Structures are given as structure tokens and as C-alpha cells.
Amino acid sequence: MNTPTLLKNCEAVLFDLDGTLLHTLPDLAVAVNAMRVDLGYSVLPEALVSKFVGKGAENLVHRSLTGQMHELAPQDQFAKAYLLFQQHYDRVNGQHAQFYDGVLEGLTQMAQMGLRLAVVTNKPARYTLPLLQATGLDSFFAVVVCGDTCAHKKPHPLPLLYACETIGVWPEAALMIGDSLNDAQAAQAAGIPCWLVPYGYNEDRDILQMPCAGHIQSLLQAATILQAA
């Protein structure tokens, strides 16, 4: 673990949501496959859907239609599919979501330390806010930045910088915790150190090869490190 000296002055922690705080893949896979069945397509394995998660709902739908990470579906097909996905995800959002080990304990410890906490996710507000409320996570966070809050999503630095400005800290006094290259690149561009967890959705990339300040096994471990810094 590489713990930069500036973490001694850490005042705020920003968190990704899907794959970092909550295991939401089962809900997403149900919605994706219900959408595909409605369109006359076969069901995708959950493991494949997990590779498509990370760059927002629109990209998830495109990838689920084309089977490719960077290929876009025809606009008329996408528009119909996206509407179906929204309807199905509204229905199942949060039904099967689970906390990762150490999340509640880590958040509680960080809050007790007086750290200001925020969520920065590419998930649209339509799904983010109900999910946080349904799981009780909303009580931890002073700021929630969703995929449609700013003009750009992660890996652009704007959502992280917006979170810092809104929560009232300089970027250098914040820490990002996520699970993907999106988080690492956004944090690097914003001048914010980033720790990555190994258990989330990273588009089938090796997190050990991603630019970050360190790797943690859980949010509880992160809290323990911050308290000792």
C-alpha cells in the first residue's frame, strides 16, 4: 500500500457506487436480459454483463446490444432498447443489491473520524438516489454526483472536481475510492489520489496495471489506514 503523505491531511472521501459500495450486477443483469428478451434476443450470462458495466446506463445498453465494448447500436434500436431497460431497471433497482464486506463498517468509521463523504457515480440520478435510499446509504453522504449531474462522466475529472467544490474541500485534500480505470483516470486528472478495490466491475481489466495510489481489500481497511495516517 502506497500511502501518500498528503493523506495525513485528508478531509473528504469520494466513492464510486456500483462495484465499490454495492454489488448491483444482479439487478443490472436482470434489466438487461429482460430488455433483450423483449427485443427477441437471447439472455446474456451475468459474467458478460459485468464487463459492460462502468460507463453509464447508455453504454451498458449499447454494449448489451452489440456485444462489443466500443460499438454503438443503430440509433432507432438503441432508443427502443434504452426505454425498455429503464422500465425494467426501475422495477428491479435495489432488489438484489448487496453490500460488499466492510462497506458499512468502513463508512461508519470514516464518518466518526469527521471525514466528509460523497458518492461520484456514472449511474443516472433516476437510479442512484432511490438505490441509496433503499439501502440506507444516503445517510452517509453529504453530496451525491450522478452520471447526469455534470456535463461529463468519469473518466473525465469534472464529476470529482464538482464533488470537491460542493462538499467544500480542495482536490488535494480528498481521496477517491473506486473499482475501475474510470475512477483511476478521473482521479488522476483531478489531482486526487485514488485507491482501488479488487472486487468490482473493471471492464475485465487488471486493476494492478491501473494508475492509482494503492489497492485496498475493503472500505474498512481504507478507514483503518486513514485513521492511522
Side-chain angles (χ1 to χ4, degrees), residues 86-118:
Q86 289 177 310
Q87 293 170 349
H88 288 299
Y89 196 46
D90 281 335
R91 173 175 53 85
V92 302
N93 183 20
Q95 285 188 8
H96 308 288
Q98 298 177 341
F99 294 106
Y100 289 107
D101 290 344
V103 166
L104 291 176
E105 298 89 340
L107 290 175
T108 299
Q109 187 170 332
M110 291 181 197
Q112 291 172 346
M113 293 165 57
L115 293 169
R116 282 167 275 182
L117 310 180

Side-chain angles (χ1 to χ4, degrees), residues 28-43:
L28 292 167
V30 167
V32 161
N33 281 320
M35 170 199 79
R36 283 180 56 87
V37 168
D38 286 348
L39 295 172
Y41 301 140
S42 61
V43 170

Side-chain angles (χ1 to χ4, degrees), residues 5-13 113-115 172-175 226:
T5 302
L6 57 84
L7 287 184
K8 295 181 182 297
N9 300 315
C10 183
E11 299 176 19
V13 186
M113 293 165 57
L115 293 169
E172 55 266 28
L175 168 69
L226 286 170

Side-chain angles (χ1 to χ4, degrees), residues 169-188:
V169 300
W170 294 103
E172 55 266 28
L175 168 69
M176 177 71 196
I177 297 180
D179 67 311
S180 71
L181 185 61
N182 287 333
D183 300 314
Q185 290 180 333
Q188 186 178 51

Side-chain angles (χ1 to χ4, degrees), residues 74-148:
Q75 182 56 36
D76 56 342
Q77 182 190 39
F78 168 78
K80 181 178 181 180
Y82 190 55
L83 180 60
L84 289 169
F85 171 81
Q86 289 177 310
Q87 293 170 349
H88 288 299
Y89 196 46
D90 281 335
R91 173 175 53 85
V92 302
N93 183 20
Q95 285 188 8
H96 308 288
Q98 298 177 341
F99 294 106
Y100 289 107
D101 290 344
V103 166
L104 291 176
E105 298 89 340
L107 290 175
T108 299
Q109 187 170 332
M110 291 181 197
Q112 291 172 346
M113 293 165 57
L115 293 169
R116 282 167 275 182
L117 310 180
V119 166
V120 183
T121 176
N122 281 348
K123 185 189 287 292
R126 173 176 179 167
Y127 312 121
T128 300
L129 302 180
L131 181 59
L132 292 174
Q133 291 169 358
T135 56
L137 285 175
D138 58 321
S139 63
F140 285 103
F141 301 111
V143 171
V144 177
V145 181
C146 305
D148 45 5

